[in-house]
Amino acid sequence: MNSQEEIADFIRNGSQYYLPHLSIDSVIFGYHNQQLKILLLKWIGYNGWGLPGGFIQRREPLSEAANRIVQERTGLEDLFLQQFHIFGDSPYRLQERSVREFTEKYGLDVGADEDNWLFERTLSVGYFALVDYFRVSVRTDIFTYDYQWWDVGEIPPLLFDQNEVVEKALATLRLQIYHQPIGYNLLPEKFTLPEIHSLYETILGKELDGRNFSKKLVALGLIKKLDERRAIGPHRSPYLYQFEKDAYEDALKQGIVHTY
Amino acid sequence: MNSQEEIADFIRNGSQYYLPHLSIDSVIFGYHNQQLKILLLKWIGYNGWGLPGGFIQRREPLSEAANRIVQERTGLEDLFLQQFHIFGDSPYRLQERSVREFTEKYGLDVGADEDNWLFERTLSVGYFALVDYFRVSVRTDIFTYDYQWWDVGEIPPLLFDQNEVVEKALATLRLQIYHQPIGYNLLPEKFTLPEIHSLYETILGKELDGRNFSKKLVALGLIKKLDERRAIGPHRSPYLYQFEKDAYEDALKQGIVHTY
DNA sequence: TTTTTAATAAGTAAAATTTACGGAATGGTT
DNA sequence: AACCATTCCGTAAATTTTACTTATTAAAAA
């Protein structure tokens, strides 16, 4: 979708291709520089930041829609995606960006705002994705003109009720931290003890004793030490570790113990 | 809604009052005779059982819709309700009951099936409710002609993909058992140790040592012994207990320990 | 080449929690 | 008064969690 005709068609007739009243908001988590981050976009027609999102095609399974939306945005295959909530308590969650403003920008005439499907009440299905920060290559498109990774502690005001969406995603992540393959998806294939340690501290927002933390992961056979180390500036080089996928997944099924 | 005109209007023009493509399915859990049960209804036009459910009014917050639907069905105020998933992976989840069949039963003419909003693709938001079995008085209505409580282990084949909905509700209940006020909502105000013990065993599907279980609940100050007992046939009368609401809710926030 | 620096790595003992387990007491019925 | 099915209770062993300090190392600077 990039020609003017296609855009005008989307705005005018989008509800023929997509389910009206429903959208998907995706909270894409990455981890970089000891910080948990999410990906935000600048949307055309709204002077601020918002979550990546999109609509569900008329005959498209919901989970495929979420996959498609995040995949197109990040370039990643094999996404870890999880639905966490549907937001529908603001019946007046209308598009704050004006369709008119948006279309004028492109010199289109698509009729009155009030009649447009984009202006109707929309419930939004929240998905979060856990991605390897270093493998993402963000694509903006005709509807978005900028992107940026933001620390979860410093999220700016977002479109609609999307700040609530982010909060809920974070709360879910914390709640499920010992039931979801968080480290596996958020860290690169090979990582150091300090990295995974700090990841868990960041998500939980509290300190964890490093010795006990790594002792436990190793004792449970969830990670294994490799014979390589990573060069990190002027200091002692940490060893690299790797997840033991099978043991890790077994442990998650039962829920790893609650504390480290 | 009970006159023929109202029903015909609902079928013909329902999408003026309700959001199309969306519905709510509610899994209403109760506990009776040491069994965890859910409430099922017989829907007109479908020869079998289905979940209580309904539609979302155009300007009605989602959670209010869920409340309204379960409240009307059970007669209960102050419901404990929780959204647990949105089901939208079957784009072909069409109504298996025929609108025609349904309307013929009432001698109405409402046009072709294909054009009817009830026949379009519908995503369903799953809510579960935890209710006190003894306080429920089920109301059937013009769309439903029978109801019954079913053991969760013996759920019959349901409408659409609703068996999956029930499975997911159960899985969520198990996962959140130590984070949700399950006992508080599923048990009557006063209950015995064997009752709450067996409730947790039923939900988790495994045995829990009774001594350790009650020891812990009491030690944590979550329940307190009353000076009353219940007469139960020819045996020793168990004492009644009551939840300590404050302590209970505090404990749930952090997630009570994992085992009893 | 040596020194300096800042980070990584590793083990043990105390405290807390969880698990395992059997026997006495009770209320109503016969 | 005896019987039965059920409630009720306490302690010891095993496991898990917590708390905590020092030696090692890689690279940069001197």
Side-chain angles (χ1 to χ4, degrees):
Chain A
M1 169 147 50
N2 31 34
S3 76
Q4 281 215 351
E5 299 84 55
E6 281 173 318
I7 298 164
D9 184 53
F10 170 77
I11 296 172
R12 264 196 224 101
N13 309 316
S15 65
Q16 288 175 22
Y17 317 127
Y18 298 99
L19 293 174
H21 307 293
L22 274 171
S23 67
I24 289 178
D25 283 339
S26 59
V27 180
I28 302 175
F29 287 105
Y31 186 62
H32 182 49
N33 281 343
Q34 319 264 65
Q35 294 290 339
L36 186 66
K37 308 207 178 242
I38 68 173
L39 181 64
L40 296 178
L41 302 172
K42 275 223 164 157
W43 290 88
I44 299 259
Y46 170 74
N47 186 27
W49 296 90
L51 291 171
F55 296 99
I56 304 151
Q57 292 167 8
R58 288 241 162 202
R59 319 223 72 169
E60 180 184 39
L62 179 60
S63 58
E64 281 182 23
N67 245 285
R68 173 177 54 76
I69 288 166
V70 177
Q71 201 166 96
E72 287 174 356
R73 192 61 78 184
T74 61
L76 298 177
E77 310 274 334
D78 291 328
L79 284 165
F80 178 86
L81 259 178
Q82 192 186 316
Q83 181 200 302
F84 62 94
H85 200 71
I86 173 164
F87 297 85
D89 272 356
S90 308
Y92 307 104
R93 182 203 218 208
L94 300 178
Q95 307 278 349
E96 284 166 20
R97 66 190 138 141
S98 157
V99 169
R100 182 161 312 283
E101 184 184 330
F102 174 77
T103 51
E104 273 169 5
K105 185 163 181 118
Y106 290 91
L108 300 168
D109 179 16
V110 293
D113 283 358
E114 312 79 65
D115 299 334
N116 192 281
W117 70 290
L118 289 171
F119 259 75
E120 296 186 307
R121 176 181 176 194
T122 302
L123 281 69
S124 175
V125 183
Y127 275 83
F128 68 79
L130 303 179
V131 303
D132 178 351
Y133 179 92
F134 299 99
R135 299 204 304 133
V136 173
S137 63
V138 181
R139 298 176 200 169
T140 56
D141 56 23
I142 198 74
F143 300 104
T144 52
Y145 63 98
D146 197 8
Y147 75 91
Q148 192 179 314
W149 287 96
W150 293 73
D151 279 12
V152 292
E154 300 167 3
I155 305 296
L158 304 178
L159 268 171
F160 317 134
D161 52 359
Q162 291 185 353
N163 287 89
E164 190 192 333
V165 176
V166 172
E167 279 313 306
K168 184 81 178 178
L170 266 170
T172 306
L173 196 62
R174 288 197 183 111
L175 203 62
Q176 303 191 349
I177 191 167
Y178 298 118
H179 288 273
Q180 296 293 351
I182 291 184
Y184 190 78
N185 288 286
L186 233 29
L187 292 172
E189 197 186 335
K190 298 172 181 181
F191 52 88
T192 68
L193 285 185
E195 280 168 352
I196 188 172
H197 176 215
S198 141
L199 170 63
Y200 276 77
E201 284 192 335
T202 303
I203 293 178
L204 291 174
K206 68 177 183 192
E207 293 195 350
L208 301 170
D209 183 286
R211 281 163 296 188
N212 294 331
F213 180 80
S214 50
K215 205 188 329 179
K216 183 145 194 178
L217 287 183
V218 173
L220 292 173
L222 306 185
I223 61 176
K224 72 157 183 270
K225 192 182 198 171
L226 301 176
D227 241 355
E228 312 166 54
R229 11 184 74 190
R230 168 175 301 161
I232 49 151
H235 307 302
R236 179 173 183 177
S237 307
Y239 281 94
L240 288 171
Y241 285 75
Q242 218 172 2
F243 278 100
E244 294 276 22
K245 195 149 192 275
D246 293 347
Y248 189 51
E249 284 172 355
D250 283 355
L252 288 172
K253 264 177 215 147
Q254 302 159 33
I256 310 176
V257 278
H258 250 190
T259 52
Y260 279 92
Chain B
M1 169 148 50
N2 31 35
S3 77
Q4 281 215 353
E5 299 84 55
E6 281 173 317
I7 297 165
D9 185 51
F10 170 77
I11 296 173
R12 263 196 225 102
N13 308 315
S15 65
Q16 289 175 20
Y17 317 126
Y18 298 99
L19 293 175
H21 306 294
L22 274 170
S23 67
I24 288 178
D25 282 339
S26 58
V27 180
I28 303 175
F29 288 105
Y31 186 61
H32 182 50
N33 282 343
Q34 320 264 65
Q35 293 290 338
L36 186 66
K37 308 207 178 240
I38 69 173
L39 180 64
L40 296 179
L41 301 172
K42 275 222 166 161
W43 289 88
I44 299 262
Y46 171 74
N47 184 28
W49 296 90
L51 291 171
F55 296 98
I56 304 151
Q57 291 167 8
R58 288 242 162 203
R59 317 223 75 170
E60 179 184 38
L62 178 60
S63 58
E64 282 183 21
N67 246 285
R68 172 177 54 78
I69 288 165
V70 177
Q71 202 167 97
E72 287 175 355
R73 192 61 76 185
T74 60
L76 296 177
E77 310 274 333
D78 291 328
L79 284 164
F80 176 87
L81 258 178
Q82 191 187 315
Q83 182 199 303
F84 63 93
H85 200 73
I86 172 166
F87 297 85
D89 271 356
S90 309
Y92 307 103
R93 184 203 217 207
L94 299 178
Q95 307 278 349
E96 285 167 20
R97 64 189 139 143
S98 156
V99 169
R100 182 160 311 284
E101 183 185 332
F102 176 78
T103 52
E104 273 168 4
K105 182 162 186 122
Y106 290 92
L108 299 167
D109 179 16
V110 292
D113 283 358
E114 313 79 63
D115 297 336
N116 191 279
W117 70 291
L118 289 170
F119 259 75
E120 295 186 308
R121 177 182 175 192
T122 301
L123 281 69
S124 175
V125 183
Y127 276 83
F128 67 79
L130 303 179
V131 304
D132 178 352
Y133 179 92
F134 299 99
R135 300 203 305 131
V136 173
S137 62
V138 181
R139 298 177 201 168
T140 56
D141 56 22
I142 197 74
F143 300 104
T144 51
Y145 62 98
D146 197 8
Y147 75 92
Q148 191 178 316
W149 288 96
W150 293 73
D151 280 13
V152 292
E154 300 167 2
I155 305 296
L158 303 178
L159 269 172
F160 317 135
D161 51 1
Q162 291 185 353
N163 287 89
E164 190 192 332
V165 176
V166 172
E167 278 313 307
K168 183 81 178 178
L170 266 170
T172 306
L173 195 62
R174 289 196 182 112
L175 203 61
Q176 302 191 349
I177 191 167
Y178 297 118
H179 289 273
Q180 296 293 351
I182 291 184
Y184 189 78
N185 288 285
L186 233 29
L187 292 171
E189 198 185 335
K190 299 172 180 182
F191 51 88
T192 67
L193 284 185
E195 279 168 353
I196 188 172
H197 176 215
S198 139
L199 170 63
Y200 276 77
E201 284 191 334
T202 303
I203 293 178
L204 291 175
K206 68 178 183 191
E207 293 196 351
L208 301 170
D209 183 285
R211 282 161 296 188
N212 294 331
F213 180 80
S214 51
K215 206 187 329 179
K216 183 146 197 178
L217 286 183
V218 174
L220 292 174
L222 306 185
I223 60 178
K224 73 158 183 270
K225 193 182 197 171
L226 301 176
D227 242 356
E228 313 166 54
R229 13 184 72 191
R230 168 175 300 160
I232 48 152
H235 308 302
R236 180 175 182 175
S237 307
Y239 281 94
L240 288 171
Y241 285 75
Q242 218 171 5
F243 278 101
E244 294 277 21
K245 193 148 192 277
D246 293 348
Y248 189 51
E249 284 172 354
D250 283 356
L252 289 172
K253 265 178 214 147
Q254 303 158 35
I256 310 177
V257 279
H258 249 189
T259 52
Y260 279 91

